[in-house]
Amino acid sequence: MLLAAAMLMAATTPAMAIDTCSGGNRAARKVTCVVDGDTIWQRGVKMRLLDIDAPETSGAQCDRERAIGKQATHRLQQLMASGYRIIDDGKKDRTSDRRSLVRVILPDGRDAGKVLIHEGLAQHWPNVGNRWCDGRQGNGS
């Protein structure tokens, strides 16, 4: 029973444009937006997609990571724009933000995270290293 309650965090969200996150006080403003390919805010709650790792857009280790990170962000926005539902497994990540770990399920039943992996815009989590920079550090120049 508890698992069933934790599974459906939000009803299906209707189709609409999903903004890129900007500005502060996101929790107080109860915003819904995409931070990057694996992090979203849903009605003021910060969430991380389960079982995937998308390249960083902020704090990227190389230019390639930043570029693919932007592609992943835009693709996640595009996928979510046709409607979605959030499945929360009830766990939190280990970061200081303690983000809820969730799956974003699309109207056709696909997991948005798995779509990003299939399209080469994310990788399975846990992982080792930074495949986007091929082990390089710095700006990739």
Side-chain angles (χ1 to χ4, degrees):
M1 182 76 164
L2 179 60
L3 180 60
M7 294 229 356
L8 282 179
M9 183 179 167
T12 300
T13 302
M16 61 185 227
I18 307 295
D19 292 329
T20 302
C21 294
S22 64
N25 299 321
R26 293 178 191 151
R29 293 186 294 133
K30 303 217 180 288
V31 298
T32 295
C33 57
V34 173
V35 174
D36 59 27
D38 59 25
T39 306
I40 64 172
W41 284 81
Q42 174 73 20
R43 297 183 189 142
V45 177
K46 193 172 187 181
M47 303 175 175
R48 187 179 200 295
L49 276 63
L50 258 169
D51 301 330
I52 76 162
D53 181 31
E56 299 299 324
T57 54
S58 174
Q61 293 179 4
C62 66
D63 292 338
R64 182 172 183 264
E65 180 181 16
R66 185 176 299 103
I68 297 171
K70 287 179 183 179
Q71 291 175 15
T73 302
H74 294 300
R75 181 62 173 139
L76 183 56
Q77 288 175 288
Q78 181 183 43
L79 291 167
M80 292 174 67
S82 57
Y84 61 93
R85 64 187 166 94
I86 302 286
I87 297 179
D88 186 345
D89 83 341
K91 296 178 184 173
K92 305 283 186 189
D93 73 2
R94 290 180 271 163
T95 65
S96 60
D97 291 342
R98 303 290 295 152
R99 298 173 290 188
S100 296
L101 295 171
V102 303
R103 294 193 189 283
V104 174
I105 305 299
L106 306 173
D108 62 7
R110 292 181 300 160
D111 179 322
K114 288 182 180 178
V115 172
L116 293 175
I117 289 171
H118 178 76
E119 294 178 357
L121 299 173
Q123 60 186 335
H124 292 281
W125 176 261
N127 63 331
V128 177
N130 183 332
R131 71 179 272 195
W132 318 110
C133 297
D134 300 320
R136 294 183 310 244
Q137 298 293 316
N139 67 7
S141 302

